[in-house]
Amino acid sequence: MRTYLDHAASAPVRPEVAQQVAEDLASGLGGWANPSAQHTAGRRMGALLAQARARLASALGVDAHEVLLTSGGTEADALVVSGRARAVPGGRLVVSPIEHPAVLDSARTAVDQLGAGLSLLEVDDAGRVELDSVDQALAPAGSTGHSPASLVSVMTANNETGVVQDMAALVARVREASGGGRPGESGYVPVHSDVVAALGKVPVDFHGWGLDAMSLSGHKLGAPVGVGALVVRRDLTLTPATGGGRQERGLRSGTQDVVAARALALAVELAVAEREEQEARLAALRRRILEGAGALAGVHATLPEGADHVASTAHLWFEEADVEALLMALDLAGIDASAGSACHAGVTQPSHVLLAMGFEEGPARSTLRCSLGRETSPEDVERLLTALPAALEGARRAWKVTHKEQ
């Protein structure tokens, strides 16, 4: 039996969703009619698509016309970041340094290819955005020499550490600092949030927070890989990179996947409905991981006490440990977990999130993210804690070998 502790990367498809997808495919919803077609079969598919969009909007507390279907959170992030860069030539993107690469890389690409400006906000030792840095980033253009800001993007919950931002306070600070409190007012700067790691884990309130756009992904919630959404206000101007059939308000042309849209709607409905129950259960499991692992020498919780966090992510860092050896040993012991940092060409890189939080490169390379889900049991946690001491011992031996005489 394997223990799966990587739900933040991708969660198992929920049985209810799998059953609905199977029934949809068996009944002919697998794409034999285009939902944009005007014949009877097409109109039926179009009605089912509209129904799925309405259900998704209801679960998110937004209007149906604000929901644009995408292939996932990465595409949704890229659409809004690059869309603003194209809509406001020479404008400046303002993002936190702990964003998912879908935001950070899209912003850097916009700088290189579209001539956009880029400002990085500052974060504290927990990864929370320093609100004073918002004031500096959004100061009037004449006082800083910067171009006007075209977008602020800050993720609600970090995908690595699980730290949660106070989005309402952040949006309020953006409005105050920019001088534009409402869309259409001079100086108004739209705010986007990636809620992929937050939805179903903490309350998400698009309109209550005052957001202009937010991104979500289905496969983190129990839908199949390949479907997500961008929620975006009608009055937010985004310029697409491509043309086509003008589906999804002209921002994402192409035949819509009705089966996937229905799967996403059901997965979000279920995740939102059970959030409070799962949060209480997973908080106890997270606490057990942090306490059990923290009892080992040189093992530390990444987030400081008191930092708001999702209950489903336990993030650790290790003194003098080779994280690749640690992950391999856990894998051999039947534990699926992740480092929580990107791997390029087979070499684990230091986490850009931890570096932004003030960690040195060594600790930022030696991290473990245990992300829990609805399937995670107390027995799973105990299997991790049983396997961890030996895995850590091997990881420390590997570290000593690679750091000898350095």
Side-chain angles (χ1 to χ4, degrees):
M1 171 181 287
R2 296 199 64 83
T3 293
Y4 186 72
L5 299 177
D6 203 18
H7 289 76
S10 194
V13 175
R14 297 182 62 120
E16 306 94 324
V17 175
Q19 180 179 351
Q20 178 182 277
V21 169
E23 292 175 353
D24 283 352
L25 293 173
S27 68
L29 294 191
W32 52 262
N34 191 315
S36 297
Q38 297 304 304
H39 48 62
T40 299
R43 292 198 302 272
R44 177 171 176 267
M45 295 295 283
L48 288 170
L49 179 65
Q51 182 187 65
R53 197 188 307 273
R55 287 173 54 196
L56 179 57
S58 178
L60 296 171
V62 302
D63 297 328
H65 68 259
E66 294 175 319
V67 177
L68 307 182
L69 297 168
T70 70
S71 64
T74 292
E75 185 189 22
D77 285 341
L79 280 174
V80 71
V81 172
S82 65
R84 283 302 290 170
R86 288 184 171 84
V88 186
R92 187 163 42 89
L93 302 166
V94 179
V95 305
S96 89
I98 66 168
E99 296 300 298
H100 189 280
V103 167
L104 281 173
D105 289 353
S106 293
R108 290 168 180 145
T109 298
V111 172
D112 294 338
Q113 299 183 5
L114 302 175
L118 176 62
S119 294
L120 293 179
L121 298 169
E122 297 176 3
V123 297
D124 64 13
D125 62 352
R128 296 168 295 204
V129 170
E130 297 277 13
L131 294 183
D132 287 347
S133 70
V134 175
D135 298 338
Q136 183 177 3
L138 298 182
S143 65
T144 63
H146 290 156
S147 56
S150 58
L151 180 74
V152 173
S153 183
V154 175
M155 67 196 320
T156 297
N158 184 261
N159 60 303
E160 288 191 26
T161 68
V163 72
V164 175
Q165 307 287 341
D166 184 343
M167 290 305 302
L170 189 144
V171 173
R173 193 64 165 259
V174 170
R175 303 289 174 248
E176 179 182 351
S178 66
R182 298 175 63 84
E185 290 184 355
S186 176
Y188 184 85
V189 180
V191 181
H192 161 257
S193 186
D194 179 326
V195 302
V196 168
L199 188 61
K201 313 295 191 306
V202 297
V204 171
D205 191 352
F206 181 78
H207 289 297
W209 292 344
L211 292 175
D212 299 274
M214 72 179 186
S215 307
L216 59 120
S217 185
H219 73 106
K220 315 287 183 164
L221 302 169
V225 172
V227 63
L230 174 65
V231 179
V232 58
R233 292 172 59 106
R234 270 286 194 183
D235 49 20
L236 179 62
T237 302
L238 301 176
T239 301
T242 62
R246 307 293 295 172
Q247 290 89 346
E248 303 303 313
R249 283 166 46 186
L251 292 174
R252 187 177 186 266
S253 295
T255 303
Q256 295 104 326
D257 187 338
V258 178
V259 173
R262 284 168 47 78
L264 177 63
L266 179 56
V268 172
E269 287 173 338
L270 294 170
V272 171
E274 68 184 20
R275 181 188 61 78
E276 291 185 4
E277 176 185 352
Q278 286 296 318
E279 184 176 19
R281 189 182 72 83
L282 295 179
L285 297 181
R286 176 184 185 273
R287 191 179 313 114
R288 172 66 182 135
I289 291 175
L290 294 181
E291 290 175 353
L296 301 174
V299 181
H300 309 275
T302 302
L303 294 182
E305 286 288 334
D308 287 341
H309 57 269
V310 296
S312 56
T313 297
H315 199 273
L316 302 160
W317 69 273
F318 304 87
E319 298 176 15
E320 300 182 350
D322 184 307
V323 70
E324 291 183 351
L326 177 68
L327 291 173
M328 183 177 297
L330 289 176
D331 189 31
L332 290 173
I335 310 294
D336 297 322
S338 73
S341 60
C343 290
H344 299 283
V347 179
T348 302
Q349 302 295 320
S351 164
H352 73 281
V353 174
L354 268 65
L355 292 176
M357 292 164 58
F359 281 75
E360 298 293 332
E361 183 173 326
R365 284 183 180 272
S366 301
T367 66
L368 180 68
R369 182 186 68 182
C370 301
S371 50
L372 321 175
R374 59 189 299 273
E375 301 83 7
T376 308
S377 68
E379 291 75 20
D380 290 326
V381 170
E382 295 308 317
R383 280 192 285 270
L384 167 70
L385 295 177
T386 298
L388 188 56
L392 183 57
E393 182 180 350
R396 289 196 164 130
R397 287 197 302 268
W399 185 91
K400 289 179 181 178
V401 170
T402 59
H403 287 74
K404 188 181 297 184
E405 303 299 331
Q406 285 190 8

